[in-house]
Coordinates of all heavy atoms in Angstrom, one line a residue:
G182 N -46.5 -40.7 -74.0 CA -45.5 -41.7 -73.9 C -45.6 -42.8 -75.0 O -46.5 -42.8 -75.8
P183 N -44.8 -43.8 -75.0 CA -44.8 -44.8 -76.0 C -45.9 -45.8 -75.8 O -46.4 -46.0 -74.7 CB -43.5 -45.6 -75.8 CG -43.1 -45.4 -74.3 CD -43.7 -44.0 -74.0
V184 N -46.3 -46.5 -76.8 CA -47.2 -47.7 -76.8 C -46.4 -49.0 -76.8 O -45.6 -49.1 -77.7 CB -48.2 -47.6 -77.9 CG1 -49.1 -48.9 -77.9 CG2 -49.1 -46.4 -77.9
T185 N -46.6 -49.8 -75.9 CA -45.8 -51.0 -75.9 C -46.7 -52.2 -75.8 O -47.9 -52.1 -75.5 CB -44.9 -51.1 -74.6 OG1 -45.7 -51.0 -73.4 CG2 -43.9 -49.9 -74.5
A186 N -46.2 -53.4 -76.1 CA -46.9 -54.7 -76.1 C -46.0 -55.8 -75.5 O -44.9 -55.8 -75.7 CB -47.4 -55.0 -77.5
T187 N -46.7 -56.7 -74.9 CA -46.0 -57.9 -74.3 C -46.6 -59.1 -75.0 O -47.9 -59.3 -75.0 CB -46.1 -58.0 -72.8 OG1 -45.6 -56.9 -72.2 CG2 -45.4 -59.2 -72.3
F188 N -45.8 -60.0 -75.5 CA -46.3 -61.2 -76.3 C -46.2 -62.4 -75.4 O -45.4 -62.5 -74.5 CB -45.5 -61.4 -77.5 CG -45.6 -60.3 -78.5 CD1 -44.6 -59.2 -78.5 CD2 -46.6 -60.2 -79.4 CE1 -44.7 -58.2 -79.5 CE2 -46.7 -59.1 -80.3 CZ -45.8 -58.2 -80.3
S189 N -47.1 -63.4 -75.6 CA -47.0 -64.6 -74.9 C -45.8 -65.5 -75.3 O -45.4 -66.4 -74.6 CB -48.3 -65.5 -75.1 OG -48.5 -65.7 -76.5
A190 N -45.3 -65.3 -76.5 CA -44.0 -66.0 -76.9 C -43.3 -65.0 -77.9 O -44.0 -64.1 -78.3 CB -44.4 -67.3 -77.6
T191 N -42.1 -65.3 -78.2 CA -41.3 -64.4 -79.0 C -41.7 -64.6 -80.5 O -41.6 -65.6 -81.0 CB -39.8 -64.7 -78.9 OG1 -39.5 -64.6 -77.5 CG2 -39.0 -63.8 -79.7
P192 N -42.2 -63.5 -81.1 CA -42.6 -63.6 -82.5 C -41.5 -63.4 -83.4 O -40.4 -62.9 -83.0 CB -43.6 -62.4 -82.7 CG -43.1 -61.4 -81.7 CD -42.5 -62.2 -80.5
S193 N -41.5 -63.9 -84.7 CA -40.4 -63.7 -85.6 C -40.3 -62.2 -85.9 O -39.2 -61.6 -85.9 CB -40.7 -64.4 -86.9 OG -40.8 -65.8 -86.7
H194 N -41.4 -61.5 -86.2 CA -41.4 -60.1 -86.3 C -42.8 -59.5 -85.9 O -43.8 -60.3 -86.0 CB -41.2 -59.7 -87.8 CG -39.8 -60.1 -88.3 ND1 -38.7 -59.4 -88.0 CD2 -39.5 -61.2 -89.1 CE1 -37.7 -60.0 -88.6 NE2 -38.1 -61.0 -89.3
A195 N -42.9 -58.3 -85.5 CA -44.2 -57.7 -85.0 C -44.1 -56.2 -85.3 O -43.1 -55.6 -85.5 CB -44.4 -57.9 -83.6
V196 N -45.4 -55.7 -85.5 CA -45.6 -54.3 -85.9 C -46.7 -53.8 -84.9 O -47.7 -54.5 -84.7 CB -46.0 -54.1 -87.3 CG1 -46.5 -52.7 -87.6 CG2 -44.9 -54.4 -88.3
I197 N -46.5 -52.6 -84.4 CA -47.5 -51.8 -83.6 C -47.9 -50.6 -84.4 O -47.1 -49.9 -84.9 CB -47.1 -51.4 -82.3 CG1 -46.7 -52.7 -81.4 CG2 -48.2 -50.7 -81.5 CD1 -46.1 -52.3 -80.0
M198 N -49.2 -50.3 -84.5 CA -49.7 -49.2 -85.2 C -50.7 -48.5 -84.3 O -51.6 -49.3 -83.8 CB -50.3 -49.5 -86.6 CG -50.7 -48.3 -87.4 SD -51.4 -48.8 -89.0 CE -50.0 -49.5 -89.8
V199 N -50.7 -47.2 -84.2 CA -51.7 -46.5 -83.3 C -52.6 -45.6 -84.2 O -52.0 -44.8 -85.0 CB -51.0 -45.6 -82.3 CG1 -52.0 -44.9 -81.5 CG2 -50.1 -46.5 -81.4
S200 N -53.9 -45.8 -84.1 CA -54.9 -44.9 -84.8 C -55.6 -44.1 -83.8 O -56.1 -44.7 -82.8 CB -55.8 -45.8 -85.6 OG -55.2 -46.7 -86.4
R201 N -55.7 -42.8 -84.0 CA -56.4 -41.9 -83.0 C -57.5 -41.2 -83.7 O -57.4 -40.7 -84.8 CB -55.4 -40.9 -82.4 CG -54.4 -41.5 -81.6 CD -53.3 -40.5 -81.1 NE -54.0 -39.4 -80.3 CZ -53.4 -38.3 -79.9 NH1 -52.2 -38.1 -80.3 NH2 -54.1 -37.4 -79.2
Y202 N -58.7 -41.1 -83.0 CA -59.9 -40.5 -83.6 C -60.5 -39.5 -82.5 O -60.5 -39.9 -81.3 CB -61.0 -41.5 -83.9 CG -60.6 -42.4 -85.1 CD1 -59.8 -43.5 -85.0 CD2 -61.1 -42.0 -86.4 CE1 -59.4 -44.2 -86.1 CE2 -60.7 -42.8 -87.5 CZ -59.9 -43.9 -87.3 OH -59.5 -44.6 -88.4
S203 N -61.0 -38.4 -83.0 CA -61.6 -37.4 -82.1 C -63.1 -37.4 -82.5 O -63.5 -37.9 -83.5 CB -61.0 -36.0 -82.3 OG -61.2 -35.6 -83.6
G204 N -64.0 -36.9 -81.5 CA -65.4 -36.8 -81.8 C -66.1 -38.1 -81.6 O -67.2 -38.3 -82.1
V205 N -65.5 -39.0 -80.9 CA -66.0 -40.4 -80.7 C -66.9 -40.4 -79.5 O -66.7 -39.6 -78.5 CB -64.9 -41.4 -80.5 CG1 -65.5 -42.8 -80.2 CG2 -64.1 -41.4 -81.8
D206 N -68.0 -41.2 -79.5 CA -68.9 -41.4 -78.3 C -68.1 -41.8 -77.2 O -67.4 -42.9 -77.2 CB -70.0 -42.4 -78.7 CG -71.0 -42.5 -77.5 OD1 -70.7 -42.5 -76.4 OD2 -72.2 -42.6 -77.9
G207 N -68.1 -41.1 -76.0 CA -67.2 -41.4 -74.9 C -67.8 -42.5 -74.1 O -67.0 -43.1 -73.2
V208 N -69.1 -42.9 -74.1 CA -69.7 -44.0 -73.4 C -69.7 -45.2 -74.1 O -69.3 -46.3 -73.6 CB -71.1 -43.6 -73.0 CG1 -71.7 -44.7 -72.2 CG2 -71.1 -42.3 -72.1
A209 N -70.1 -45.3 -75.4 CA -70.2 -46.5 -76.2 C -69.5 -46.2 -77.5 O -70.1 -45.9 -78.6 CB -71.6 -46.9 -76.4
P210 N -68.2 -46.2 -77.5 CA -67.4 -45.7 -78.8 C -67.5 -46.7 -79.9 O -67.3 -46.3 -81.0 CB -66.0 -45.6 -78.2 CG -65.9 -46.6 -77.1 CD -67.3 -46.5 -76.4
L211 N -67.7 -48.0 -79.6 CA -67.7 -49.0 -80.6 C -69.1 -49.6 -80.9 O -69.8 -50.0 -79.9 CB -66.7 -50.1 -80.3 CG -65.2 -49.7 -80.2 CD1 -64.4 -50.8 -79.9 CD2 -64.7 -48.8 -81.4

């Protein structure tokens, strides 16, 4: 499905970008 975002106030312009990675540690990914 889509990725959506809700802002605390109306921005002039906004961009959403999605990055996906495989092979990542499932317990402590970052």
Side-chain angles (χ1 to χ4, degrees):
V184 175
T185 62
T187 302
F188 299 95
S189 59
T191 303
S193 298
H194 297 282
V196 169
I197 298 177
M198 187 181 293
V199 180
S200 304
R201 295 177 60 189
Y202 290 83
S203 64
V205 178
D206 188 318
V208 177
L211 300 182

